[in-house]
Amino acid sequence: MAYAPTRWSLGELYPSFASPELQAAFDNVEEQVMSFEGVRDKLNPDIDASQFMEIVRVSEETARIINKIYAFTGLSFNSDTQDQIAQTYMARVQQFAAQMQNRILFFSLWWKELDDLNAERLMNAAGDYRYYLEEMRHFKPHTLSEAEEKIINIKDVTGAAALNTLYDAITNRYVFKLEVDGETKELTRGQLTAYVQGPDAELRAKAYQELYRVYGADGLILGQMYQTLLRDWSNENVDLRKFASPISTRNLQNDIPDEAVDALLEVASKNAKIFQRYFKLKARQLGVNKLRRYDIYAPIANSDKKFEYDAATKMVFDSFRSFDPQLAEMAQRVFDQNHVDSEVRKGKRDGAFCWSVLPDMTPYVLLNYQGRARDVATMAHELGHAIHAMLASHHNTFTFHSSLPLAETASTFGEMMLTEKLLAEEKDESVRRDILFKQIDDAYATIIRQSYFALFEKQAHDMVQKNASVNDLSAAYMENLKEQFGDSVELSDEFQWEWVSIPHIYHTPFYVYAYAFGQLLVFSLYQQFKAEGDVFKPKYLKILSAGGSEAPAKILADAGIDIRSARFWQGGFDVLDKLVSELERL
Ligand SMILES: [Zn+2]
């Protein structure tokens, strides 16, 4: 069967916004919540374990329907961000979920307050739900009263969540103008990015200038939205919930010790020099004295090699199959069930993601496929995510999702398998060299770039508390870039607006370090795979199939990895150091 770029079918969720099925789902949740409110009186410290587990399972049933409603609305919105109905439903669903969550909030509050002995007794009977229950209790010291928690939930709908929807609505409608071969084109951000990574040096510069001209024109407003979100984050998490610092909130949600994240970021900034060496090497390859910031993703060879969509899918399946046939079967299922939205359309969200709705449902994947080698890599990446969720499908709705730091494991590993396949099949030396350089480009983009985003976020949270202006933040961002690039890259002023163009730092503060975490982890795992061969495979599949059913540190400790140690993180950089040295000798 030949595959072609498609729009996905969301029919497995609901037929449409107007369908009776979707309305019934809302009603169903309300009924379930109403009956759940009846268990309030049954909660006491000596509650019978089987009765307790029955309550947990009922709450899972409700969570399943809410996940489906959320997914249908979110996926519809992402496939057309200008669709008014989807926009309206986004707000409605957020409000609905917050209201329902508020009505069943008493359960998690009771659970967090319960004495350790009884909690342990109930967790021992919880089987696959154990880690979910344990993790909730981590938040005990940061939990407020029921009334306060309810107010925060309701106020978030029209507060932080609304600001984020607005940020998306404003930035997704941006049109970028670029003159190509004497003709002015109107482009989406994704289409513009193709020129940023293209072979034409002048177009690269013009594309970046246009990107930050457009963002910069709204810079003060987007920056103000960011300041507001950071104040909200700090008011809630530091002042009210008493987290030690803004980043500690994310660390506890990721269930990663603060020391492990500190070790990662510290080792990353020490190793920025590896990439500075790389950028100097890249300048020599491109025949220039010094790389401009515009050039860091420039291809080394002038190869416009395009990959037909069908050929790309086959390459991805083949590379997965060479590791384990079941991985290829899973990837293929995502396509065969029409859960992939891969065509480029105006109003569709840029970039790519994978959305896993329920353990027993094939995940949905969004791509904007344009035929470049990068697009094939992205396809492998997002399908890696899908496979990760599918391998964990034996867990429950609360534990099948891996936590953020492990969430990029299968995706980056998938990309590396694909790269290896590309290298094995490519006979043209210049294309091979291009692939090798791209691998380091990507490592830069996921490790150092994201680590420096996280370092910027730490600084920005601090500065906003001290009443910094938007311009102060832009200045701090430029300093951050100077430290990152040293004397290896020439920076121009428009990059002061880069930070307002990064959705992650708005939507999910401190998300970004998970990319660096995942990629360094994968370098280390891939080294093990090369050294051990088949022996490694079950170990790796075990990490993936654990999903989110254990703490990340525990899942990795079982595979012999200590994430608190600087030496472990340095090991990932040592692999990169070696790769760059090899390129320097070419
Ligand atoms: Zn990813």
Side-chain angles (χ1 to χ4, degrees):
M1 174 181 167
Y3 295 97
T6 44
R7 181 192 275 256
W8 54 32
S9 152
L10 302 178
E12 206 182 321
L13 292 162
Y14 298 103
S16 69
F17 281 113
S19 67
E21 287 89 341
L22 181 59
Q23 195 46 54
F26 280 104
D27 295 344
N28 215 336
V29 170
E30 288 219 59
E31 278 159 31
Q32 290 184 5
V33 165
M34 204 190 299
S35 96
F36 194 85
E37 285 173 317
V39 310
R40 195 189 267 262
D41 304 332
K42 295 179 191 149
L43 297 175
N44 62 72
D46 330 302
I47 187 171
D48 179 63
S50 61
Q51 195 181 9
F52 173 75
M53 282 316 295
E54 186 50 36
I55 295 171
V56 172
R57 276 191 205 98
V58 170
S59 77
E60 183 186 12
E61 248 340 286
T62 310
R64 282 179 63 93
I65 308 177
I66 291 182
N67 279 8
K68 277 181 68 183
I69 297 177
Y70 244 123
F72 180 73
T73 311
L75 293 169
S76 301
F77 177 69
N78 281 304
S79 69
D80 184 1
T81 58
Q82 307 303 313
D83 177 355
Q84 298 249 358
I85 299 174
Q87 268 176 10
T88 313
Y89 263 84
M90 281 288 280
R92 175 177 167 187
V93 171
Q94 277 165 358
Q95 171 132 7
F96 178 76
Q99 281 166 344
M100 294 304 119
Q101 204 189 333
N102 271 352
R103 285 168 61 183
I104 58 175
L105 194 63
F106 66 89
F107 175 70
S108 62
L109 293 177
W110 171 81
W111 171 247
K112 282 186 256 187
E113 275 306 310
L114 185 64
D115 64 277
D116 288 346
L117 218 61
N118 275 306
E120 196 53 43
R121 171 178 67 84
L122 295 171
M123 284 193 287
N124 284 339
D128 193 46
Y129 298 83
R130 187 195 166 94
Y131 177 63
Y132 162 69
L133 293 167
E134 193 183 298
E135 219 194 352
M136 250 196 270
R137 285 175 66 82
H138 292 167
F139 288 84
K140 185 172 175 169
H142 308 291
T143 301
L144 308 172
S145 73
E146 184 170 356
E148 290 167 316
E149 291 288 350
K150 283 182 172 173
I151 294 170
I152 288 179
N153 283 343
I154 284 298
K155 285 292 184 187
D156 271 350
V157 173
T158 47
L163 263 180
N164 273 314
T165 309
L166 215 55
Y167 173 85
D168 288 346
I170 292 175
T171 55
N172 279 318
R173 67 192 291 178
Y174 284 158
V175 176
F176 303 91
K177 293 195 176 112
L178 190 66
E179 200 186 302
V180 184
D181 301 330
E183 183 200 339
T184 302
K185 294 191 171 186
E186 298 203 338
L187 306 168
T188 64
R189 184 175 178 175
Q191 289 167 325
L192 187 74
T193 305
Y195 291 99
V196 155
Q197 296 162 351
D200 184 325
E202 206 190 314
L203 269 182
R204 284 199 297 270
K206 283 205 295 191
Y208 266 121
Q209 286 155 4
E210 173 66 1
L211 177 64
Y212 297 124
R213 181 190 68 78
V214 171
Y215 273 92
D218 280 347
L220 290 175
I221 289 172
L222 299 176
Q224 206 179 342
M225 292 169 106
Y226 186 62
Q227 288 171 314
T228 309
L229 286 166
L230 297 206
R231 279 192 193 276
D232 180 70
W233 185 266
S234 173
N235 289 343
E236 178 182 334
N237 293 306
V238 180
D239 294 350
L240 296 174
R241 298 193 187 279
K242 312 288 179 214
F243 279 97
S245 67
I247 197 172
S248 302
T249 315
R250 176 72 52 213
N251 295 348
L252 192 67
Q253 277 163 9
N254 290 341
D255 200 4
I256 295 284
D258 287 350
E259 312 92 86
V261 179
D262 290 345
L264 164 66
L265 294 179
E266 200 176 309
V267 174
S269 62
K270 268 189 199 143
N271 285 277
K273 56 183 189 300
I274 296 176
F275 290 93
Q276 293 171 9
R277 249 169 66 213
Y278 170 70
F279 291 132
K280 286 177 182 171
L281 164 70
K282 191 156 178 176
R284 289 198 293 279
Q285 286 283 327
L286 290 172
V288 294
N289 275 331
K290 194 173 182 176
L291 217 57
R292 304 169 303 170
R293 170 62 185 78
Y294 308 132
D295 304 321
I296 62 174
Y297 302 118
I300 285 303
N302 193 354
S303 76
D304 286 341
K305 193 163 174 172
K306 289 279 179 197
F307 297 84
E308 287 297 327
Y309 187 74
D310 183 58
T313 59
K314 299 274 151 46
M315 276 164 63
V316 172
F317 298 160
D318 285 350
S319 72
F320 287 1
R321 191 175 297 112
S322 65
F323 188 89
D324 188 326
Q326 65 167 327
L327 302 189
E329 281 160 30
M330 286 173 173
Q332 198 168 340
R333 208 188 309 156
V334 186
F335 286 88
D336 291 347
Q337 296 188 359
N338 205 11
H339 280 209
V340 183
D341 195 315
S342 44
E343 62 181 22
V344 179
R345 290 190 304 273
K346 197 164 172 214
K348 177 178 162 180
R349 180 194 188 276
D350 275 328
F353 65 75
C354 171
W355 191 320
S356 322
V357 187
L358 296 172
D360 48 352
M361 186 183 280
T362 301
Y364 287 87
V365 168
L366 181 137
L367 306 168
N368 279 278
Y369 190 80
Q370 297 177 72
R372 301 160 303 167
R374 256 169 224 283
D375 295 314
V376 189
T378 302
M379 186 189 280
H381 181 103
E382 299 306 334
L383 285 161
H385 281 303
I387 286 167
H388 198 163
M390 290 159 102
L391 281 168
S393 65
H394 54 292
H395 294 296
N396 65 71
T397 309
F398 300 130
T399 59
F400 86 108
H401 265 140
S402 73
S403 78
L404 278 184
L406 289 186
E408 296 297 336
T409 313
S411 52
T412 11
F413 203 91
E415 267 188 75
M416 290 188 76
M417 290 193 291
L418 179 84
T419 303
E420 194 165 272
K421 184 174 166 59
L422 281 172
L423 280 173
E425 286 174 5
E426 188 58 63
K427 299 283 173 275
D428 185 334
E429 249 329 294
S430 71
V431 179
R432 286 175 54 84
R433 185 183 297 225
D434 191 39
I435 293 171
L436 287 168
F437 271 81
K438 267 196 187 123
Q439 200 176 16
I440 314 280
D441 287 354
D442 289 346
Y444 160 73
T446 36
I447 300 172
I448 290 297
R449 181 173 158 82
Q450 307 297 331
S451 296
Y452 273 85
F453 282 156
L455 291 167
F456 171 71
E457 286 188 272
K458 280 177 85 160
Q459 191 184 359
H461 277 261
D462 195 43
M463 288 174 70
V464 167
Q465 280 309 298
K466 294 176 181 142
N467 307 306
S469 68
V470 172
N471 285 335
D472 293 337
L473 292 171
S474 286
Y477 187 73
M478 284 303 271
E479 283 309 309
N480 171 290
L481 290 179
K482 280 178 195 153
E483 198 192 308
Q484 183 182 158
F485 291 117
D487 64 351
S488 68
V489 166
E490 201 179 298
L491 280 169
S492 31
D493 282 344
E494 64 272 23
F495 285 91
Q496 66 177 299
W497 292 117
E498 184 173 25
W499 61 282
V500 302
S501 76
I502 311 296
H504 273 323
I505 70 172
Y506 284 77
H507 285 272
T508 321
F510 304 108
Y511 179 97
V512 290
Y513 76 70
Y515 285 114
F517 190 110
Q519 176 86 66
L520 286 169
L521 172 66
V522 168
F523 272 124
S524 145
L525 290 174
Y526 211 76
Q527 282 300 103
Q528 280 189 41
F529 172 41
K530 292 288 109 184
E532 299 171 8
D534 283 349
V535 182
F536 168 82
K537 291 179 178 176
K539 205 156 67 174
Y540 174 69
L541 294 173
K542 192 176 159 209
I543 292 176
L544 299 188
S545 59
S549 63
E550 291 274 14
K554 162 92 171 53
I555 294 172
L556 293 173
D558 287 350
I561 291 164
D562 175 12
I563 57 171
R564 282 191 180 80
S565 91
R567 257 190 60 204
F568 165 68
W569 298 113
Q570 188 57 48
F573 281 106
D574 291 345
V575 175
L576 278 159
D577 194 357
K578 223 174 89 192
L579 284 172
V580 172
S581 300
E582 276 167 24
L583 285 175
E584 282 171 333
R585 277 194 298 272
L586 274 183

